Structures are given as structure tokens and as C-alpha cells.
Amino acid sequence: MHYFTIEQREALQAQLRALVERLRGEIAGAMHLPKHSEETDDDAVADLETDLDIAELERATQLLRSAEAALARLHEPEFGLCEDCGAEIPYSRLRTNPVATRCIDCQRTRERGDAQAARL
Ligand SMILES: [Zn+2]
């Protein structure tokens, strides 16, 4: 028994595919970034810019993995169920964030936990 209709799954699939496409483009583009150290004499600025690019690239790579995982899960019966509590993730939430794997409550709990862990 699938939680979402075929139409809803297909809409999410199209959305995820577009996301994967866009991220692959972004990542490929980032691989060909000009070397900032050639653009500025200030090494500190060049280092900072390189760090930002790497952070962007890591974020894009992580999101790409999540999107690919979501595409792989899309036709599994458990797709759309919160991986922590098993509650149904509302379709509207997935339309906003198709890579979400948790309901909003569990996501908030987890983010609070991460923030606490970061302070330790
Ligand atoms: Zn949950």
C-alpha cells in the first residue's frame, strides 16, 4: 500500500530529477572554478574564497546524494514515511523539500540535538 498517489510520486520524481540535473551542473561548474589565488594578491582573501567554494561544493554534493537517494526510494512503499517515527510526511512538505526523510517534528528534534551536540 503506497502512501502517495502515482501522480504525486511522478511530480516528486520530476522535481528530484530537475534538482539532480541542476546540482550536477553546479558541481561540474565548481570543478572548473578559476584559481582565486591568480585573481588576487591577497592570500588570506584567496584562501577564504576557496573555503567558501569548497563549502558550497560539499553542500551541493550532499544534496545531490540526498536527491539521488530520494529518487531510489521514490517507488518503495516506505517512501514519504518519517525515518525516525514512521509518521506520514505531508505531501506539501515533500513538494517544498523533496529530499526530506523526516516529519517536521523529528527534523526539529534532530536539529536541536545537533545544535546541542555542537556545543559540547
Ligand atoms: Zn517523525
Side-chain angles (χ1 to χ4, degrees):
M1 186 14 219
H2 281 159
Y3 164 40
F4 291 122
T5 66
I6 305 266
E7 288 76 16
Q8 286 174 323
R9 280 167 197 268
E10 280 175 354
L12 287 171
Q13 182 168 304
Q15 203 179 345
L16 282 163
R17 282 193 178 145
L19 181 64
V20 164
E21 193 91 343
R22 185 170 65 75
L23 287 167
R24 286 201 178 128
E26 265 182 37
I27 291 165
M31 299 296 189
H32 296 101
L33 281 177
K35 288 195 179 67
H36 290 296
S37 52
E38 290 169 7
E39 294 167 3
T40 170
D41 298 333
D42 189 330
D43 283 346
V45 171
D47 283 351
L48 182 65
E49 285 178 0
T50 306
D51 283 352
L52 288 179
D53 294 337
I54 289 167
E56 265 305 287
L57 193 56
E58 276 173 357
R59 184 199 58 82
T61 308
Q62 240 169 31
L63 191 56
L64 177 61
R65 279 202 206 102
S66 306
E68 281 172 340
L71 272 174
R73 277 198 317 273
L74 196 64
H75 294 285
E76 301 290 324
E78 66 269 27
F79 178 79
L81 299 180
C82 172
E83 68 178 15
D84 284 359
C85 72
E88 294 174 353
I89 303 172
Y91 180 64
S92 59
R93 169 160 163 73
L94 285 168
R95 284 298 279 172
T96 314
N97 180 12
V99 302
T101 56
R102 292 184 189 90
C103 71
I104 201 91
D105 287 342
C106 289
Q107 189 61 44
R108 286 203 181 118
T109 304
R110 183 157 292 245
E111 278 163 14
R112 266 201 304 276
D114 286 350
Q116 272 164 9
R119 278 199 297 274
L120 290 174

